[in-house]
Amino acid sequence: MSHILHRQFVHSYPVAVAGDGPYVIDAKGQRYLDASGGAAVSCLGHSHKSVVEAIKAQLDRLPYTHSGFFTNEPAEALAEHLVTRAPEGLGKVYFLSGGSEANETALKLARSYWVEKGEPQRVHFISRRQSYHGNTLATLSIGGNRGRRAVYEPLLMPSTQIAPCYPYREKWPEEQDLDYGLRAADELEAAIRRLGPETVIGFVAETVVGATAGALAPVPGYLKRIREICDRYGVLLILDEVMSGMGRTGYLFACAEDGISPDLLTCAKGLGAGYQPIGACLISGEIVETLAGGSGSFQHGFTYIGHPTACAGGLAVQHAIEREGLLERVRTQGAALRAALEARFGNHRYIGDIRGRGLFLALELVEDRASKAPFDPQYKLHARVKAEAMARGLMCYPSGGTADGVRGDHVLLAPPFIISDGQIEELVEKLAAALDAAFPAAA
Ligand code: PMP
């Protein structure tokens, strides 16, 4: 009997005991192809030797120091690695233990910036429906995952939300990508004007939406317009790349593909690839200089900031990505996986959309392709898909649709960057079998 409080109280999970490249192995010897990297974390698979060695070496040298007393070599080296590859203007890094802490930090840095600028009346964040930024009360406040918010509602601070960039459901049939992107982005301008630009701290968005809607990538022009609107009204742009960053889309920073730089950028999962818990917030020179020229400090902090062992793990992961040419590999294997998904599911009666970037892909499941009507949430299709996939030795990341039809169930795929052609075939075969078993029998 497990003494752990699991997320699903009544669920009995297999006991994971070992990793082998892109596979996880349980105590009964069953192998699972990790087609979702857990939750888009394990980008190097589960047994990368150079990362394990680097972590062991750091443990031998110095496992931990507190950031109130020292900086440390791995943290400095990882910060330099990130800053020298980051979108223009992001000159400093703040290390955390995960994605929620990174976003919480970004929100507080943004608020501190305006206080130091002498504009304390700026109190509003604008974010998007169909978004997830973390599980703390502040990050839930700006997040758009209604299920996760509901219980905590009276405690959450108010936030204003606009539509996500969701062409499958929101683009008019006659519209070009660029027109749709501009129309969707202009919702931000309308929200800023409604609230009063002088009261808005910043706009927060996932560069590519992950868990709440399944690999929703911005159409060309959308993020450029968002950047222009933020600049026009002096509103900070905060991009959450906790899931989509660190190479998952084929670019170290996903927004590089859109040709823009945010004022604050967060990353986590792929940064440590699951070998260590680590997240980061990258900060613009303008924000740093404003804080430095004002109070000279940032009222914030956690015990494990810049944890040496976590940073050594993160640095080894990033070195492996460069040494092994894995960004390029994400682009080629991403294109191969996408082509295989399209060949297998492009005409499937229950699959409405196949989308994403790089090795960050998703299928949206619908009961009716013509009307795009989702399955009844009572049917719990996403849970059935997960169970059927696990029974066949496949990990994928399905999430539920909404009762009001705003979105369908979807399956998120985020396999390790090292996935081979043969493993892509295995993934698609097992997924097809799991979906067939999970879908209602054809009438
Ligand atoms: N932002 C995004 C986009 C995420 O996908 C997640 C995790 N799913 C988080 C933030 C929160 O990260 P963590 O669970 O590491 O706190």
Side-chain angles (χ1 to χ4, degrees):
M1 206 254 299
S2 173
H3 294 286
I4 294 177
L5 178 59
H6 290 290
R7 185 162 163 182
Q8 305 290 338
F9 284 14
V10 291
H11 198 291
S12 73
Y13 291 92
V15 179
V17 294
D20 176 19
Y23 295 91
V24 175
I25 301 159
D26 75 13
K28 293 183 177 151
Q30 163 85 44
R31 290 167 72 84
Y32 303 82
L33 176 60
D34 187 358
S36 58
V41 174
S42 304
C43 59
L44 294 184
H46 298 275
S47 53
H48 201 286
K49 287 232 159 19
S50 72
V51 179
V52 173
E53 290 308 322
I55 293 167
K56 283 183 181 163
Q58 185 60 41
L59 285 173
D60 282 340
R61 225 173 11 250
L62 174 69
Y64 172 71
T65 54
H66 193 282
S67 64
F69 298 87
F70 294 103
T71 184
N72 65 77
E73 288 168 344
E76 292 293 341
L78 182 57
E80 188 194 352
H81 183 98
L82 294 176
V83 161
T84 50
R85 289 155 183 78
E88 204 187 327
L90 297 172
K92 294 268 187 215
V93 183
Y94 198 99
F95 286 117
L96 296 309
S97 299
S100 303
E101 281 186 10
N103 284 328
E104 188 89 14
T105 301
L107 299 180
K108 288 169 83 172
L109 274 166
R111 164 67 183 168
S112 300
Y113 169 76
W114 288 118
V115 171
E116 299 283 8
K117 291 274 276 189
E119 298 193 39
Q121 80 288 351
R122 291 200 187 241
V123 291
H124 294 298
F125 285 102
I126 303 174
S127 57
R128 299 190 300 184
R129 299 189 287 278
Q130 320 291 353
S131 63
Y132 181 65
H133 299 294
N135 252 333
T136 62
L137 286 173
T139 54
L140 271 182
S141 291
I142 56 157
N145 184 326
R146 281 189 250 156
R148 290 203 176 190
R149 287 171 56 103
V151 180
Y152 307 104
E153 262 322 25
L155 306 178
L156 303 183
M157 59 194 196
S159 78
T160 298
Q161 296 187 339
I162 63 169
C165 185
Y166 194 172
Y168 174 61
R169 292 202 174 267
E170 310 236 352
K171 188 171 137 186
W172 302 326
E174 68 281 9
E175 246 178 336
Q176 301 297 312
D177 262 6
L178 189 60
D179 300 337
Y180 166 63
L182 301 184
R183 175 168 67 80
D186 285 348
E187 278 207 25
L188 174 61
E189 179 164 30
I192 293 173
R193 292 171 73 107
R194 230 176 13 253
L195 289 164
E198 69 290 348
T199 70
V200 180
I201 296 175
F203 174 61
V204 189
E206 290 164 77
T207 303
V208 180
V209 180
T212 36
L216 277 188
V219 298
Y222 173 81
L223 278 180
K224 273 217 163 98
R225 176 73 142 229
I226 290 281
R227 180 71 269 185
E228 283 164 21
I229 293 167
C230 288
D231 289 344
R232 192 173 316 142
Y233 293 97
V235 164
L236 295 175
L237 176 58
I238 303 165
L239 287 183
D240 175 349
E241 298 202 356
V242 166
M243 215 182 229
S244 58
M246 297 295 100
R248 178 67 36 219
T249 62
Y251 291 80
L252 193 60
F253 296 92
C255 63
E257 193 169 346
D258 303 277
I260 62 138
S261 277
D263 301 292
L264 293 152
L265 182 149
T266 56
C267 52
K269 299 174 184 263
L271 180 57
Y275 288 83
Q276 288 288 293
I278 182 167
C281 177
L282 278 70
I283 311 145
S284 76
E286 158 72 9
I287 293 177
V288 173
E289 281 152 30
T290 302
L291 265 62
S295 66
S297 67
F298 171 38
Q299 282 308 327
H300 189 57
F302 296 98
T303 300
Y304 299 118
I305 293 173
H307 192 290
T309 309
C311 289
L315 187 63
V317 169
Q318 298 313 312
H319 282 164
I321 286 176
E322 287 203 349
R323 202 175 51 242
E324 296 171 25
L326 292 180
L327 294 181
E328 181 54 34
R329 192 177 165 89
V330 169
R331 291 181 218 162
T332 53
Q333 295 308 81
L337 176 56
R338 192 186 182 113
L341 293 171
E342 277 165 3
R344 186 68 187 233
F345 302 117
N347 295 318
H348 195 293
R349 63 178 290 193
Y350 291 139
I351 293 176
D353 196 24
I354 300 172
R355 58 179 176 244
R357 284 186 183 174
L359 279 172
F360 197 33
L361 298 168
L363 309 175
E364 182 159 339
L365 315 177
V366 287
E367 188 160 28
D368 182 62
R369 269 165 67 118
S371 68
K372 303 182 182 175
F375 282 90
D376 180 349
Q378 301 294 329
Y379 184 67
K380 294 203 181 310
L381 177 59
H382 64 289
R384 291 172 192 253
V385 172
K386 184 175 173 194
E388 296 291 353
M390 285 293 277
R392 288 165 175 78
L394 178 73
M395 294 162 62
C396 57
Y397 193 127
S399 296
T402 54
D404 53 11
V406 168
R407 64 164 196 271
D409 297 75
H410 64 263
V411 179
L412 188 65
L413 299 170
F417 303 169
I418 56 168
I419 191 164
S420 68
D421 293 345
Q423 288 154 353
I424 286 178
E425 263 179 52
E426 180 186 343
L427 187 169
V428 174
E429 283 310 311
K430 287 186 167 166
L431 183 60
L435 286 169
D436 281 347
F439 284 135

